[in-house]
Each structure stands twice: as C-alpha cells, then as structure tokens.
Amino acid sequence: MNSRLLLFICLITFFTSACERVDEAEKEKNQQAELIKAVTTVPSQTFDQDGLSFEYPEDWEIIGDDVQDSVRYIFIQGPKDAVAIIQQHPLDEALTLEEFSTSYSEETQEIPVLAEGEVSEASPTVVAQPEFIYISRDLEGKSYEWVVERVPGNIGGVQTSDYREYFRKDSEKFATFLINQVNNDVISEFEGSFELIFKTLKSEP
C-alpha cells in the first residue's frame, strides 16, 4: 500500500475517534445542562423537619411521615401515580445501595390475584423479573451510586409502575435512601421533579 495513502487513512481514523470522544463528552455535558434546567424550572416547596430537609414540586404532597423500628419513612405523592419515598436508616444498620434496591424490589413485587382471593406464589414464571442498572453520578463534586430498576408494565394482567430509581446519601449518623417511582411511559415528565428531591435531600447530622 502507498505510504501516503496509509498515512492518510491513519489520520482519518485518529480524527474520527477524537471527534467521537468529543461528541460523547458534549452529549453528556448537554444532558447535565438539561437536568439542571429542568430542576430550576420546577416550582418547589420545602420540607424541613427533625433534621431531614429537601425541596419537592409545589403540586406534590407529603402523604406520610412515620418512624418504625428506628427507620423513618416519608412518602411524597405526585401526579400520574409518581411517588418519591425517603427512608432514613441508622448508618451502622444500613444496607448497601445494591442490597437495599434488591430487597425493596422483592418486597414490593405485585403478584396476580386468582379467583376467590387466592394468590399465586411469587416465582419467575408468575412475576416478571426486574432489570437493574448500576450507574455512578456526580453532584457538586461528590460521586453517588444510582440504581435504576425497570419492570415490565404488565405483570400477569396487573398494571404496575415500571420505572424505579434508588439513591443513597450518608450523613454522620444516617443513611438516607431515596426511591423514585413512576410509569416508564411518563418518566420524561418527572425527571426534573425527581432530580430536585435528590439534589436538595439533606440529613443532619
């Protein structure tokens, strides 16, 4: 092969690869910018009680704030069956995020109800198994693990919310888990709302 042609091919390959890396970085930058824009355009209200604080959309509602067996539970209800759930655990008793998401998913599986109130046993042939995706996210210079769970929208004839994401934030004494859940068909409508809660969630001390 002609040496000039070979050099030309190498140069084209190099610049194409470099452009692809730039495009990927630019895409990620644009996605972050869109999330920031979405958060700043969500009208919000503030929850700040007993050492736990966060902002949430003004058209959402706190429907529960309870403590059971040293764990605090807060439920935030939004439109279209969107919900955010906060669980605050003592730090020395908390599961890892991966363990927590798996346990929560298993505990909340919906099982089809048969005739005369009989319930099928949960098994791979009855309950569709969820898919978990593990991601790292940066927020204000700190890295957080993020678990996304996707479940088929229809399990044995039962409609379910089929998108769920899990986060964990630690303070000196507590591990605070955030579970965001909504139907996958409308997730794009709530990305800014979920991001707002996650970004502003704080536990003291």
Side-chain angles (χ1 to χ4, degrees):
M1 181 181 292
N2 185 286
S3 59
R4 290 185 178 181
L5 177 60
L6 180 60
L7 176 62
F8 178 75
I9 292 173
C10 291
L11 287 172
I12 290 296
T13 302
F14 171 77
F15 284 116
T16 300
S17 177
C19 289
E20 287 176 352
R21 288 196 296 271
V22 170
D23 288 343
E24 289 175 1
E26 188 66 24
K27 182 179 179 181
E28 183 176 348
K29 182 179 178 181
N30 290 337
Q31 288 174 340
Q32 289 293 328
E34 287 298 319
L35 278 175
I36 293 172
K37 181 180 178 181
V39 170
T40 57
T41 57
V42 175
S44 65
Q45 52 188 320
T46 301
F47 177 94
D48 189 352
Q49 293 184 23
D50 302 322
L52 193 62
S53 64
F54 55 89
E55 294 181 33
Y56 63 105
E58 64 178 16
D59 59 341
W60 290 42
E61 180 184 3
I62 304 290
I63 59 174
D65 183 358
D66 302 295
V67 177
Q68 299 179 15
D69 298 327
S70 76
V71 178
R72 185 177 181 183
Y73 299 85
I74 298 178
F75 299 88
I76 314 154
Q77 181 70 57
K80 298 185 180 180
D81 294 325
V83 63
I85 303 167
I86 296 170
Q87 293 190 19
Q88 186 185 56
H89 295 246
L91 186 60
D92 59 355
E93 300 175 7
L95 301 173
T96 65
L97 182 60
E98 182 176 348
E99 292 169 340
F100 177 85
S101 58
T102 301
S103 174
Y104 187 92
S105 176
E106 291 174 351
E107 291 174 359
T108 56
Q109 283 181 342
E110 296 191 43
I111 304 172
V113 178
L114 302 179
E116 299 181 0
E118 294 181 354
V119 180
S120 300
E121 294 183 2
S123 70
T125 59
V126 175
V127 180
Q129 298 303 296
E131 173 191 3
F132 291 95
I133 303 171
Y134 302 91
I135 306 169
S136 290
R137 298 189 58 189
D138 290 328
L139 176 63
E140 298 176 349
K142 186 172 182 179
S143 181
Y144 293 90
E145 295 302 309
W146 175 28
V147 179
V148 173
E149 177 188 8
R150 295 184 183 275
V151 181
N154 187 295
I155 299 177
V158 178
Q159 291 297 123
T160 65
S161 293
D162 59 357
Y163 177 92
R164 193 181 286 156
E165 57 188 21
Y166 303 84
F167 302 94
R168 169 176 166 164
K169 281 188 173 183
D170 291 352
S171 64
E172 183 180 337
K173 295 182 179 179
F174 298 102
T176 303
F177 295 93
L178 171 64
I179 308 106
N180 296 323
Q181 179 173 308
V182 72
N183 190 286
N184 191 58
D185 293 338
V186 294
I187 179 59
S188 61
E189 299 178 32
F190 295 96
E191 288 177 343
S193 299
F194 289 150
E195 187 77 7
L196 172 68
I197 299 172
F198 168 70
K199 184 177 180 179
T200 60
L201 180 61
K202 295 179 181 179
S203 178
E204 300 293 341

